[in-house]
């Protein structure tokens, strides 16, 4: 499977710099994954497109203020750290910039010294393993005091309010990036969906910054996808199984939810089961979707694993055709852009 089959020319003017206000006023391209037919709606129309008994499954992770600016203790040189994931207590996998001279044993100081980091190891791909020490009651207290919300690299304009990069479902802070398909929901829209008999189940998957990286291998199957921590509770597993038994559709809100649900599918029982761990599930054409019946998603970057997953779900020709239509119609792309509903 060639990576170039998922490449396309995305004009910079179509990359959204700010979310729609209100959130559910963004445009919604509805794609029939069997026929390839496209319909143009707005996201607030979602209750009209779903049915009583359908189940929306959302990712309730919250983005951490994971970008930290500090200085190398030995030289005073500026250093920027992005916390990605906790490997074990107070020791995190991170991206650092500039990283070339940050060898194991180097020490980074943030703020007035109440937070420091020791480089423990150099990781594959140029990352670093950092052990963090802090004078505050918890590490997250220090991170909140000194850190910033890390916006995607293609969002170059500042946000008026960092909460615009959080979903209405956001709870536990564990992610370096937002599950952006959830950004389109509002409390009012959720209320309307509930009145129409659409239920909501919550799962957790920690979104890493690797989600923004393009596939560089010529053959997509040679790409090594990042592993992400996920959690599916007994309640979420039960809701998902019951939706199928009732004849309702399981509607995944975002690619992170697809990965979590399909990773938690038990082939022996034929249902989703409670699960917790790390998933490196890489979904490409030919994958059998056992859980997900419909998908709410954004318009993804060229050559991305996200575009490949969506194409596996709806067919590459259908998806690339829908993308061409969206570009002609001036849809807004990527994290703060418009949405797709694939039925």
């Amino acid at each position: 499977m060639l990576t170039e089959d998922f490449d396309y020319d995305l004009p910079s003017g179509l990359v959204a710099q700010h979310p729609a206000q209100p959130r559910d006023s963004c445009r919604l391209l509805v794609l029939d994954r069997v026929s390839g037919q496209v319909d143009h709606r707005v996201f607030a129309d979602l209750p009209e497109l779903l049915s009583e008994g359908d189940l929306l499954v959302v990712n309730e992770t919250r983005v951490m203020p994971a970008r930290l600016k500090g200085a190398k203790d030995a030289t005073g040189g500026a250093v920027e750290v992005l916390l990605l994931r906790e490997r074990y207590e107070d020791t995190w996998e991170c991206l650092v910039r500039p990283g070339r001279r940050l060898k194991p044993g180097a020490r980074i100081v943030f703020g007035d010294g109440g937070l420091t980091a020791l480089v423990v190891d150099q990781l594959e791909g140029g990352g670093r393993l950092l052990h963090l020490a802090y004078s505050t009651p918890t590490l997250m207290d220090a991170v909140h005091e000194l850190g910033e919300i890390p916006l995607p690299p293609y969002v170059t304009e500042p946000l008026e309010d960092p909460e615009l990069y959080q979903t209405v479902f956001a709870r536990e802070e564990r992610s370096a990036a937002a599950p952006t398909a959830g950004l389109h929901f509002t409390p009012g829209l959720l209320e309307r969906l509930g009145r129409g008999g659409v239920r909501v189940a919550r799962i957790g998957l920690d979104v890493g910054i690797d989600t923004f990286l393009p596939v560089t291998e010529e053959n997509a199957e040679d790409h090594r996808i990042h592993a992400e921590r996920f959690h599916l509770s007994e309640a979420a597993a039960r809701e998902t199984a019951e939706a199928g038994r009732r004849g309702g559709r399981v509607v995944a809100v975002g690619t992170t939810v697809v990965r979590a649900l399909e990773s938690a599918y038990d082939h022996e029982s034929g249902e989703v089961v409670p699960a917790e761990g790390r998933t490196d599930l890489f979904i490409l054409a030919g994958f059998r979707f056992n859980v997900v019946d419909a998908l709410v998603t954004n318009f993804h970057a060229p050559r991305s694993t996200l575009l490949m997953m969506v194409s596996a779900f709806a067919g590459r020709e259908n998806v690339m055709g829908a993308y061409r239509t969206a570009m002609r119609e001036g849809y807004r792309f990527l994290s703060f852009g418009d949405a797709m509903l694939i039925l």
Side-chain angles (χ1 to χ4, degrees):
M1 182 175 300
L2 297 179
T3 301
E4 66 183 20
D5 290 339
F6 302 92
D7 202 0
Y8 67 95
D9 183 19
L10 176 59
S12 60
L14 294 183
V15 177
Q17 295 298 309
H18 301 276
Q21 290 294 331
R23 295 183 181 209
D24 59 2
S25 67
C26 73
R27 300 173 73 182
L28 177 66
L29 186 148
V30 184
L31 172 64
D32 185 311
R33 67 183 179 128
V34 177
S35 68
Q37 180 177 339
V38 164
D39 189 17
H40 302 285
R41 307 289 289 264
V42 295
F43 202 81
D45 294 339
L46 190 62
E48 302 171 20
L49 300 164
L50 300 182
S51 304
E52 183 176 357
D54 287 346
L55 178 72
L56 281 170
V57 186
V58 303
N59 187 354
E60 66 178 5
T61 191
R62 185 173 174 85
V63 185
M64 301 179 293
R67 178 170 281 125
L68 297 164
K69 295 178 180 178
K72 191 174 178 181
D73 190 33
T75 64
V79 177
E80 185 174 295
V81 171
L82 182 62
L83 303 176
L84 295 181
R85 57 187 66 90
E86 189 175 28
R87 183 174 286 188
Y88 44 89
E89 187 175 6
D90 296 336
T91 304
W92 286 68
E93 297 175 22
C94 302
L95 294 180
V96 295
R97 188 173 62 180
R100 185 174 299 175
R101 297 185 179 180
L102 282 171
K103 306 296 184 184
R107 187 169 176 266
I108 306 166
V109 179
F110 305 95
D112 61 3
L115 175 65
T116 62
L118 179 69
V119 181
V120 176
D121 198 5
Q122 185 167 333
L123 304 176
E124 184 179 347
R128 297 292 188 277
L129 191 65
L130 302 184
H131 180 75
L132 295 143
Y134 43 92
S135 58
T136 50
T138 69
L139 173 59
M140 282 299 115
D141 289 332
V143 169
H144 271 274
E145 181 180 331
L146 298 167
E148 302 172 3
I149 293 291
L151 294 176
Y154 44 74
V155 175
T156 58
E157 299 179 13
L159 287 182
E160 294 179 4
D161 182 357
E163 284 299 307
L164 293 173
Y165 194 54
Q166 305 283 7
T167 72
V168 295
F169 314 107
R171 290 185 178 176
E172 187 179 0
E173 284 184 338
R174 298 196 63 93
S175 287
T180 53
L183 291 177
H184 309 292
F185 288 85
T186 66
L189 179 59
L190 290 172
E191 184 179 339
R192 290 172 54 217
L193 286 162
R195 289 200 303 265
V198 176
R199 301 176 67 88
V200 177
R202 296 169 176 261
I203 62 96
L205 185 140
D206 303 345
V207 188
I209 203 72
D210 292 340
T211 190
F212 301 119
L213 300 179
V215 175
T216 56
E217 291 82 1
E218 181 178 349
N219 185 338
E221 296 177 22
D222 293 335
H223 179 70
R224 182 180 175 185
I225 199 168
H226 54 286
E228 294 172 317
R229 176 188 171 273
F230 77 103
H231 171 74
L232 200 95
S233 67
E234 287 189 19
R238 184 173 59 253
E239 287 268 20
T240 305
E242 288 177 356
R245 287 195 289 267
R246 291 194 308 264
R249 292 172 295 187
V250 175
V251 184
V253 178
T255 55
T256 61
V257 171
V258 175
R259 290 184 74 196
L261 289 176
E262 297 293 342
S263 296
Y265 179 76
D266 180 65
H267 289 271
E268 287 190 15
S269 67
E271 291 183 340
V272 166
V273 297
E276 184 171 6
R278 294 173 69 84
T279 177
D280 59 358
L281 179 62
F282 187 12
I283 296 178
L284 293 166
F287 179 83
R288 176 175 176 147
F289 290 85
N290 293 294
V291 185
V292 176
D293 302 305
L295 174 62
V296 176
T297 189
N298 283 23
F299 293 94
H300 300 295
R303 304 175 71 94
S304 63
T305 61
L306 310 179
L307 178 56
M308 293 174 186
M309 177 195 291
V310 173
S311 297
F313 185 69
R316 191 185 77 85
E317 292 301 321
N318 288 342
V319 170
M320 299 309 289
Y323 272 48
R324 289 190 293 270
T325 298
M327 285 189 284
R328 282 198 308 269
E329 295 292 328
Y331 277 71
R332 300 159 71 242
F333 276 57
L334 307 186
S335 294
F336 287 140
D338 296 314
M340 290 182 70
L341 172 63
I342 303 175
L343 298 174

